[in-house]
Amino acid sequence: MDLLQWPWIQALIALSTIIICYCFHSLITGKHAQQNLLPEAGGGWPLFGHLFMLSGPDPLHISLSNMADKHGPLFTIRVGPRRGLVVNSWEGAKECYKTNDVAFSTRPRTAAIAHMGYNFAMFGFSNYGPYWREMRKISTLRLLSNRKITALGPMIQARIQALMRSMNEDYWRRVGTRQATVVDLSKIFGDLTIGLMVRTVAGNVEKEMDLEQGEKWRQAVREFIRMMNVFTVSDVVPSLKWLDSLTGAHEAFRRTGKNLDAMLQAWLDEHKKLMKESGTEMEEEEEEDDFMSEMLNVADGVSQEFPVFDADTINKATCQTMMVGGVDTMTVTLTWAISLLLNNRGAMIRVQEELDRHVGRERVVQESDMENLVYTQAVMKETLRLQPPLPVNVREAGEDCVVTGHHIPAGTRLFVNAWKIQRDPRVWDNPLEFRPERFLTGRWQEVDVAGLHYELLPFGGGRRACPGIYLALRTTQLVLATILHEFELETPSGEAVDMTGSFGTTNMKATPLEVCLRPRLSPQLYRDGSNAD
């Protein structure tokens, strides 16, 4: 019999590995003992550090907030052999995102992104450097420019109105059959945002799909997003990479990545076919209304400058970044916005009164109406303050730096807890209350969420802040205004909405958002609204 099959021999090997790694870690960290380091939170374990305290069931932002109540706004932890800097104050965030922006412009590398994200060709997860800067420039100036977002407006409007029409038809169908009129809005928002982002990225590809194919690609996107939040042993303790093979995580990553890649490649092949049939490339001054077409004009040039990735990989990875980055954040934001309004009926009534005043009940909401819907915009800001879609922004120090006078070694993981910062009683009056009015007057009237005001960081800050902020804002505000204009909402039994969050990278509500819908407008308006393209 092979001795390695004996459980006590396996346990001895594992214990020996842990002791050796811990001793090595202690030797390395001892070299920094004389440096001015921030104090470390208590309770860490040998080798694994504070990992067990950050692995659930409580969401990460809650665990870090509880530690901040005990250890202060800035402290360090150990995530495996790595040191981690936890920031829970706007002053600390400013030092990281402004003073040390370049130093903290690297993303931690995980096995999930390596296997599913084309070996870090997804620029949202690639290291800071020339490739990242080029792709960021392309995304800002071509894919997510004001001109591009404006061009996407009619499509977004049409898709939203098509959803309202479908919900209205479903309501009357259920009423006619005496079925319950309860719907899961979180799922509806998820399907809407997936459809919007697929259309934005790849054009009208779903028009060629039947219902089964459409559900297949929606499931592929959902699974990809879910697997991105999976961390392996080697992500935390690289020396224990051999344990990953026992869990099957890498194989699951490869399978998930392959499924989404097949979908992206099919879309890309179709785009190339259409371009070839047209007999010419798009002119530089022309701007296609989907990202994949836009990338066909630039991907070859990028691949020549950075030959580590071919043009197809760059195109697919960029489209993948945009699609994945937009789906979860918009779904989460819309779900929390409706949840907060259902628990604060006075605010919901005020939104609807504003809509009736500026839009009326003889037509549907248009994007041009949004500039007049200042309270609706304030509701969105207050939602992002209380329930940011990315409550903890994680980065890594690419070089040594100094934060609040303390030495931060290269390789330190950075955890900026926006959820805690945005509930700081030193900054926000009655920080736990849902009060959109705070953004209508005084110091907060002109504040935005683009990462330039360090008290409000729902999308991160610095040069690696989310590049799709304005697309997400314009879309979610329009969806929120439209659904509140066209439907009365209430919980099934009049009870308060459960506001418990779930563990994961995004701040997803733990339970479905089930609501009862009742149309507010004339049936004719639902039929005559914009048609989906």
Side-chain angles (χ1 to χ4, degrees), residues 6 19 35 57 84 95 110 154 165 183 260 325 358-359 377 397 418 482:
W6 292 8
I19 293 174
Q35 294 179 340
E95 285 212 31
T110 67
R165 184 168 57 253
V183 299
L260 192 59
H358 290 288
V359 180
Q377 294 178 47
T482 301

Side-chain angles (χ1 to χ4, degrees), residues 157 161 164 359-367 369 482 485-486 521 525-526 528-530:
Q157 169 83 41
Q161 197 54 47
M164 298 303 108
V359 180
R361 299 202 187 189
E362 286 71 47
R363 65 178 179 87
V364 299
V365 178
Q366 303 291 324
E367 188 176 16
D369 293 316
T482 301
H485 182 239
E486 300 192 23
L521 307 182
L525 287 176
Y526 297 93
D528 293 345
S530 301

Side-chain angles (χ1 to χ4, degrees), residues 178-396:
R178 299 182 180 274
Q179 294 179 355
T181 57
V182 177
V183 299
D184 180 0
L185 266 190
S186 48
K187 183 180 185 306
I188 289 173
F189 288 149
D191 288 343
L192 171 66
T193 54
I194 289 176
L196 283 172
M197 290 311 299
V198 169
R199 170 60 182 81
T200 300
V201 164
N204 289 315
V205 291
E206 75 250 54
K207 278 193 172 182
E208 307 300 323
M209 302 178 187
D210 56 28
L211 290 177
E212 183 177 349
Q213 289 174 317
E215 181 54 36
K216 185 176 180 180
W217 63 251
R218 279 191 291 271
Q219 183 58 39
V221 174
R222 293 190 198 104
E223 181 64 11
F224 188 93
I225 293 171
R226 187 187 73 81
M227 292 296 287
M228 281 182 64
N229 294 327
V230 174
F231 294 91
T232 67
V233 174
S234 64
D235 291 334
V236 180
V237 187
S239 60
L240 299 181
K241 186 176 181 179
W242 54 275
L243 287 176
D244 288 349
S245 61
L246 302 180
T247 66
H250 288 191
E251 180 56 36
F253 292 149
R254 284 189 284 268
R255 183 169 58 251
T256 302
K258 184 178 180 180
N259 289 340
L260 192 59
D261 174 71
M263 180 175 72
L264 289 166
Q265 187 62 55
W267 296 348
L268 183 55
D269 290 342
E270 182 64 22
H271 278 66
K272 288 181 177 181
K273 177 183 176 183
L274 291 174
M275 179 175 285
K276 185 176 181 180
E277 289 175 352
S278 70
T280 180
E281 283 195 7
M282 293 175 292
E283 297 294 331
E284 279 297 313
E285 64 271 15
E286 294 180 357
E287 189 164 23
E288 286 293 307
D289 65 351
D290 69 75
F291 294 168
M292 192 166 275
S293 295
E294 189 75 47
M295 285 300 298
L296 280 172
N297 274 341
V298 298
D300 283 334
V302 177
S303 67
Q304 291 173 17
E305 186 176 356
F306 304 99
V308 65
F309 302 122
D310 62 65
D312 279 6
T313 296
I314 291 169
N315 195 328
K316 291 184 293 184
T318 304
C319 291
Q320 190 180 66
T321 299
M322 298 295 181
M323 187 162 57
V324 171
V327 169
D328 251 16
T329 53
M330 289 195 289
T331 301
V332 165
T333 300
L334 286 167
T335 300
W336 285 122
I338 295 295
S339 299
L340 287 163
L341 287 170
L342 285 168
N343 285 352
N344 296 272
R345 300 293 303 190
M348 180 180 287
I349 292 171
R350 185 167 174 179
V351 169
Q352 292 179 320
E353 289 176 344
E354 180 181 65
L355 286 161
D356 289 344
R357 185 167 59 253
H358 290 288
V359 180
R361 299 202 187 189
E362 286 71 47
R363 65 178 179 87
V364 299
V365 178
Q366 303 291 324
E367 188 176 16
S368 57
D369 293 316
M370 291 309 305
E371 62 180 331
N372 297 319
L373 304 177
V374 293
Y375 190 75
T376 305
Q377 294 178 47
V379 165
M380 188 57 66
K381 285 185 179 179
E382 182 71 340
T383 299
L384 291 169
R385 183 188 71 84
L386 280 172
Q387 298 290 355
L390 300 171
V392 180
N393 189 250
V394 183
R395 299 188 188 175
E396 187 173 300

Side-chain angles (χ1 to χ4, degrees), residues 473-508:
L473 275 180
R474 289 176 68 164
T475 302
T476 52
Q477 287 174 355
L478 185 57
V479 173
L480 181 65
T482 301
I483 194 170
L484 292 177
H485 182 239
E486 300 192 23
F487 291 94
E488 298 287 359
L489 308 178
E490 58 184 24
T491 53
S493 302
E495 73 278 8
V497 176
D498 180 3
M499 302 298 284
T500 305
S502 60
F503 185 83
T505 302
T506 51
N507 184 21
M508 191 68 71

